[in-house]
Amino acid sequence: KYNVGIINLHLPVDFTEGIRRGSLLGTQHEEGNDHFVTARILYPTDEEPEDLPYLEPESAPLLCAELMKCGAPGPLKSLGWMLHTWRLTHIRAKRNAQPSTQQESFPLAVYSHGLTGIAAIYSYQSLNLAASGTVVLMVDHTDQSAVATRRRDSTHLLYDHKPVTDVYMKGKEVQYVRRRRAQTQHRVEECLSALSCLKSLNRRNIPDLASAGVSFIGKLETTDVTLMGHSFGGCTVLS
């Protein structure tokens, strides 16, 4: 029904409640990154799409290398080039496009990625949602369940293997569950904080959007929100 616009940005958020409730937010965030969520927004637009890289070129080599470390059998873990085809794949969308004027406002969805995932891996699902008339906010989580999250200062927060190697594989099941629950709570706070910021964009713009010439003021149906996720992201949105 619509062409799709796409923008990568860092949403300014308020983590106060999450820190108060004891999530990982109080310890995992570093100076310069501690009040932002790394996000990708896909949305309906009237502008013509172009071929965009499935993975952002500046992060793609690292993502491929780290994904092999996370998921491949032992002898293959160092062979990041085996995922090189992902770097050749493109999606049809328009970067920094203006939201569509075909209808007054659009419903919202927040998408939480799975363990060892990142937002970009779910671009196909989100493209379909946006093409059907939904503004989709995709969060790159910073509980170290993502393969690599690019933060505001351009550094990457990498996947933490320790819950598996140092806890689960050593039979410490209770500690493992507690660790995953702490990560879940962290993810919940990020999704809720990012959603709150997204809804506020219906009233006022933020510098990251303004500098790209994009505004969602008056375009968001803030009472129509769906939370979605895959795997660990499903656990996140249910929580």
Side-chain angles (χ1 to χ4, degrees):
K1 185 176 180 180
Y2 297 97
N3 293 327
V4 177
I6 184 171
I7 186 166
N8 297 321
L9 74 169
H10 293 89
L11 292 176
V13 297
D14 181 4
F15 286 134
T16 305
E17 286 302 315
I19 294 172
R20 186 176 296 127
R21 285 194 288 265
S23 77
L24 297 176
L25 291 167
T27 59
Q28 293 293 96
H29 285 253
E30 301 174 4
E31 186 176 353
N33 299 297
D34 57 348
H35 297 292
F36 293 91
V37 165
T38 303
R40 165 175 284 194
I41 301 177
L42 293 91
Y43 51 95
T45 184
D46 302 324
E47 299 183 28
E48 289 298 315
E50 54 192 1
D51 285 330
L52 298 178
Y54 181 69
L55 299 179
E56 293 298 320
E58 60 270 21
S59 299
L62 174 68
L63 293 173
C64 292
E66 292 300 319
L67 278 165
M68 288 298 288
K69 291 179 185 177
C70 291
L76 303 181
K77 287 186 181 298
S78 63
L79 306 182
W81 56 265
M82 292 188 71
L83 297 180
H84 179 68
T85 49
W86 276 12
R87 298 174 61 188
L88 304 178
T89 303
H90 290 75
I91 57 177
R92 293 288 290 169
K94 177 69 173 179
R95 196 182 299 277
N96 301 346
Q98 291 299 320
S100 174
T101 59
Q102 293 187 45
Q103 66 185 63
E104 184 175 348
S105 60
F106 296 93
L108 311 179
V110 177
Y111 200 104
S112 176
H113 64 73
L115 195 65
T116 75
I118 54 170
I121 292 176
Y122 300 93
S123 292
Y124 182 78
Q125 291 91 330
S126 297
L127 278 167
N128 277 272
L129 288 168
S132 298
T134 298
V135 174
V136 186
L137 169 65
M138 309 176 74
V139 175
D140 274 338
H141 290 292
T142 60
D143 61 322
Q144 292 188 272
S145 64
V147 65
T149 299
R150 184 170 181 169
R151 297 177 289 191
R152 190 172 178 81
D153 63 3
S154 296
T155 61
H156 286 82
L157 186 64
L158 302 182
Y159 176 73
D160 182 7
H161 295 263
K162 291 181 180 179
V164 174
T165 59
D166 295 357
V167 183
Y168 183 77
M169 297 301 291
K170 293 183 178 180
K172 302 176 182 178
E173 295 185 6
V174 173
Q175 293 92 320
Y176 179 75
V177 170
R178 287 173 177 167
R179 171 64 182 178
R180 291 302 191 206
R181 284 300 307 166
Q183 288 180 289
T184 302
Q185 182 63 28
H186 179 112
R187 288 163 142 262
V188 167
E189 301 300 341
E190 287 188 314
C191 283
L192 292 177
S193 298
L195 173 59
S196 177
C197 181
L198 177 64
K199 292 170 73 173
S200 74
L201 298 181
N202 201 48
R203 304 186 307 273
R204 62 179 183 274
N205 211 351
I206 59 174
D208 276 22
L209 283 173
S211 64
V214 179
S215 173
F216 291 104
I217 294 176
K219 299 299 296 183
L220 307 178
E221 182 49 69
T222 58
T223 60
D224 187 349
V225 179
T226 302
L227 301 180
M228 306 178 65
H230 167 247
S231 193
F232 203 11
C235 172
T236 301
V237 301
L238 285 173
S239 297

